[in-house]
Amino acid sequence: MKVFTCPEIPFAIVNSYRVMKERCHKKDVSLFGLSAKASVAKALFGAVTVTFTFTDASERALKAVRQALFEQLKTPARIAGEVLIFHQKGIRIAAGLREEAYGCLAHILTVSFGHLPYRSWRYDTYQAYTDSLRAVWKTYTLYEKSIPGVSDGKLSAIVENESRFYLISIQKRSYRFYASIKKKEANATRISPLRTVKGRYHTLADLAKRLDTFFSETKEDDI
């Protein structure tokens, strides 16, 4: 029987629905210094999935869980949305923000003995892309609105400064860049579409060059 243990989890997790239902079904627990509710479900082919849903979904809480997992499990294997997926001897551990309903995010930690239903990127590929593209937008003093994430097989990032707002969407060989202009008004900031480009790229260096050109061409544009 497969077993997963973690110093932060108050009990061992095993690939038995009967055992895990007794141990944790809808049980309030404390792990990583955070309160959470534990639940168990059957996955495909008799596998078991145990999920801890944290009551705290703040950036502080996310960082605390991720740091502990990096220390114990090292580098994630894959990333989907804002969920990091670690592999350990056929067991998959997912941690991050998961959309439970439209516009409703939950901070979760899932241990699964089966496959996880995420469309994901390899984490080393994700790192290579984000490192390269970050180097571009930092030269234009643009700041990330949130950590770049992977959703439906696309890498997306939102970056901005005082006058510009950019959405970057990337697939394996194609891209879309969206630029908007920000103008402060009496009681709000108005964001108006400025320019959109799409195309295909061959290498990561090629993609970075195209993004640099897009920022250069739109940094002084006006409506």
Side-chain angles (χ1 to χ4, degrees):
M1 181 182 293
K2 290 183 179 179
V3 180
F4 175 76
T5 60
C6 172
E8 301 285 351
I9 298 176
F11 46 77
I13 299 175
V14 299
N15 191 27
S16 167
Y17 180 75
R18 179 185 59 80
V19 173
M20 296 317 302
K21 188 174 181 180
E22 292 175 357
R23 288 184 184 176
C24 69
H25 190 57
K26 295 184 178 179
K27 181 180 180 181
D28 293 325
V29 297
S30 177
L31 60 159
F32 304 97
L34 303 168
S35 298
K37 185 175 289 294
S39 61
V40 59
K42 291 181 179 179
L44 293 174
F45 308 112
V48 170
T49 296
V50 175
T51 299
F52 300 94
T53 303
F54 297 98
T55 56
D56 187 349
S58 67
E59 187 66 26
R60 180 197 65 81
L62 283 167
K63 286 182 177 179
V65 175
R66 284 175 175 171
Q67 181 177 344
L69 291 176
F70 269 99
E71 290 174 357
Q72 181 183 352
L73 303 175
K74 309 308 178 185
T75 305
R78 307 190 72 84
I79 181 170
E82 295 187 52
V83 175
L84 299 179
I85 303 170
F86 299 82
H87 289 180
Q88 187 184 69
K89 298 179 181 178
I91 303 169
R92 292 164 177 81
I93 302 96
L97 293 179
R98 181 179 70 188
E99 190 170 41
E100 301 285 280
Y102 181 75
C104 181
L105 295 174
H107 180 196
I108 59 95
L109 170 70
T110 295
V111 179
S112 179
F113 297 93
H115 292 285
L116 292 168
Y118 296 115
R119 292 185 64 186
S120 59
W121 276 31
R122 287 174 55 94
Y123 189 74
D124 55 359
T125 300
Y126 166 84
Q127 277 194 307
Y129 271 71
T130 52
D131 287 349
S132 180
L133 299 180
R134 277 186 175 125
V136 176
W137 63 61
K138 284 183 177 180
T139 65
Y140 291 89
T141 321
L142 293 162
Y143 305 95
E144 296 172 18
K145 191 172 180 65
S146 61
I147 297 172
V150 176
S151 180
D152 294 328
K154 299 177 184 177
L155 172 65
S156 298
I158 295 174
V159 296
E160 61 183 339
N161 59 20
E162 290 296 316
S163 64
R164 294 293 183 271
F165 180 93
Y166 294 98
L167 171 61
I168 301 160
S169 179
I170 298 162
Q171 292 181 276
K172 182 174 287 187
R173 284 289 175 259
S174 64
Y175 65 86
R176 286 179 181 264
F177 303 149
Y178 306 84
S180 297
I181 190 167
K182 296 164 63 177
K183 289 188 176 181
K184 290 186 178 180
E185 298 183 343
N187 298 312
T189 298
R190 179 164 58 91
I191 299 178
S192 304
L194 189 61
R195 190 190 298 191
T196 300
V197 300
K198 63 179 180 178
R200 299 185 65 81
Y201 65 95
H202 299 288
T203 65
L204 183 51
D206 179 26
L207 177 65
K209 184 177 180 180
R210 290 169 187 263
L211 183 61
D212 182 81
T213 299
F214 183 69
F215 287 149
S216 178
E217 292 175 347
T218 57
K219 67 178 182 179
E220 301 296 340
D221 280 1
D222 208 340
I223 296 176

